[in-house]
Amino acid sequence: MITDLFGRALDYLRVSVTDKCNLRCAYCLPAEGVPLVPHRDILTFEEIERLVGVFASMGVRKVRVTGGEPLVRRGIVDLIGRIVRIPGIESVPMTTNGLLLAQYAGFLKEAGLSRLNVSLDTLRADRFAEITGSASLPGVFEGLAAARDAGFKRIKINAVLIRGFNDDELFDFADLADEWDFDVRFIEYMPFAGTTWERGKFMPASEAVARLREKFALDPMEKRSPSDPAYAFRIPGRKGSIGFIASVSESFCQSCTRLRLTAEGRLIPCLHADVSLDLRGPMRGGATDGDLAALIQEGARLKPKAHEDFLKNFSSEAARRRKMISIGG
């Protein structure tokens, strides 16, 4: 098993397959953009497959495919199939913005993709265009319909909760969960480098729960696993669920089992810690699988016990250096 210094067994890997995206979400991508990684520095499919194989041999069982936007990477369906077939890997979900799902949903299902999380912060076309720079909201719903038709169950909708932007859509998202039988997850607004994060736009999950309770009874759901960062509710008489990831106001670091691999091959042990370790260089330099396993364990030991208190340190140097699109969700 891969373990950190605090005894946590790390069995969940998030793999960013590209730093490119077909949207420009304000909380993810700095206004000035970020330099794209040269193609030669992006991990090849063979390199991703090899590294995931090493992680699997060390106890990783779940591999989430992320980006950027993973569906913009040419050949992504082939890569999904490769990862699914790696011995030891039990679950291969994907997080996507949904714009290309109508084209790919059926192929992804056939390749063995386990589940889908679709990032969708608003149900209103004008707001969607404002936050993403695209007028493609109808395309997202076409993709969601295609995914459901392809046989994907328990589709999750990830919505970043922003005060003054979409906090008045809580009930609309609750209706979406019921109508489509989706699991909606509200994620607290996190600070990243160069983005539009402002303390006044932050809304804690507890406040959103209180608002929903004004209209609905909320029945707490049992977590599917101890490491699940979300706490969720069912509304009696309704389909789907509503959940919250309180990544800023309520630390769940003690149960975190995640590692991240960036598109250029850097191992990141914590989304919010300014530490990483290069795997691409040693791999291309002739490192054996055993060498890579030792490096992975070394990287895991860089994982901090918990991230900083964002509400006190939202303008810290570490926060200014972190770029979500480069880290990979």
Side-chain angles (χ1 to χ4, degrees), residues 93-157:
M94 174 186 284
T95 297
T96 171
N97 61 33
L99 285 186
L100 298 176
L101 262 183
Q103 174 182 346
Y104 283 107
F107 298 111
L108 291 170
K109 187 65 176 177
E110 290 176 5
L113 191 73
S114 305
R115 293 184 306 281
L116 281 165
N117 285 23
V118 177
S119 300
L120 180 62
D121 301 316
T122 177
L123 305 179
R124 303 185 185 185
D126 57 337
R127 292 179 178 178
F128 185 88
E130 176 186 345
I131 198 167
T132 68
S134 170
S136 303
L137 181 59
V140 177
F141 278 97
E142 289 175 14
L144 288 168
R148 191 170 59 177
D149 292 345
F152 283 102
K153 307 295 184 183
R154 300 264 54 91
I155 295 173
K156 288 184 181 179
I157 302 297

Side-chain angles (χ1 to χ4, degrees), residues 4 10 28 45 53 55 76 101 113 122 140 145 228-229 237 249 302:
D4 65 13
L10 310 179
C28 178
F45 284 1
F55 277 100
I76 186 63
L101 262 183
L113 191 73
T122 177
V140 177
D228 187 348
S249 65
L302 297 174

Side-chain angles (χ1 to χ4, degrees), residues 37-320:
V37 177
H39 181 71
R40 65 180 179 277
D41 293 337
I42 296 290
L43 294 178
T44 66
F45 284 1
E46 291 74 19
E47 289 170 333
I48 293 173
E49 183 179 11
R50 181 184 175 192
L51 285 173
V52 172
V54 176
F55 277 100
S57 74
M58 302 174 73
V60 165
R61 295 294 173 258
K62 177 179 178 179
V63 176
R64 177 174 295 280
V65 177
T66 70
E69 168 48 46
L71 294 182
V72 304
R73 176 134 188 201
R74 186 177 302 174
I76 186 63
V77 174
D78 174 53
L79 178 61
I80 295 299
R82 292 186 185 204
I83 295 174
V84 166
R85 291 190 293 270
I86 292 173
I89 297 302
E90 299 171 356
S91 176
V92 184
M94 174 186 284
T95 297
T96 171
N97 61 33
L99 285 186
L100 298 176
L101 262 183
Q103 174 182 346
Y104 283 107
F107 298 111
L108 291 170
K109 187 65 176 177
E110 290 176 5
L113 191 73
S114 305
R115 293 184 306 281
L116 281 165
N117 285 23
V118 177
S119 300
L120 180 62
D121 301 316
T122 177
L123 305 179
R124 303 185 185 185
D126 57 337
R127 292 179 178 178
F128 185 88
E130 176 186 345
I131 198 167
T132 68
S134 170
S136 303
L137 181 59
V140 177
F141 278 97
E142 289 175 14
L144 288 168
R148 191 170 59 177
D149 292 345
F152 283 102
K153 307 295 184 183
R154 300 264 54 91
I155 295 173
K156 288 184 181 179
I157 302 297
N158 294 338
V160 175
L161 186 59
I162 305 174
R163 189 188 300 278
F165 176 72
N166 63 357
D167 59 306
D168 61 346
E169 295 185 60
L170 287 168
F171 299 137
D172 296 334
F173 274 103
D175 290 341
L176 178 77
D178 179 37
E179 180 183 352
W180 290 67
D181 195 14
F182 285 162
D183 295 325
V184 171
R185 296 293 180 263
F186 291 104
I187 303 171
E188 287 183 340
Y189 188 31
M190 293 180 286
F192 285 94
T195 61
T196 57
W197 197 90
E198 299 172 20
R199 190 184 185 108
K201 295 180 179 179
F202 172 74
M203 173 180 284
S206 58
E207 182 179 340
V209 171
R211 285 195 191 181
L212 283 168
R213 287 191 190 278
E214 293 174 1
K215 183 175 182 180
F216 300 118
L218 300 179
D219 291 343
M221 297 173 59
E222 185 175 346
K223 286 191 174 186
R224 294 177 183 174
S225 72
S227 63
D228 187 348
Y231 58 90
F233 304 91
R234 291 202 185 279
I235 299 174
R238 287 185 163 225
K239 293 180 291 185
S241 67
I242 303 292
F244 297 86
I245 300 178
S247 46
V248 176
S249 65
E250 303 172 30
S251 173
F252 44 76
C253 298
Q254 66 277 4
S255 61
C256 180
T257 63
R258 297 164 190 75
L259 293 168
R260 286 171 168 80
L261 181 66
T262 70
E264 64 268 38
R266 296 199 69 83
L267 176 63
I268 294 182
C270 174
L271 177 62
H272 299 294
D274 190 33
V275 292
S276 65
L277 187 144
D278 177 37
L279 298 179
R280 185 196 67 212
M283 179 170 55
R284 292 184 179 177
T288 65
D289 286 359
D291 295 332
L292 293 172
L295 284 171
I296 289 168
Q297 182 58 70
E298 178 184 338
R301 292 182 180 275
L302 297 174
K303 189 176 181 71
K305 186 174 183 179
H307 61 65
E308 63 186 305
D309 185 336
F310 293 134
L311 296 183
K312 292 182 179 178
N313 303 310
F314 64 91
S315 61
S316 69
E317 181 61 29
R320 286 195 294 270

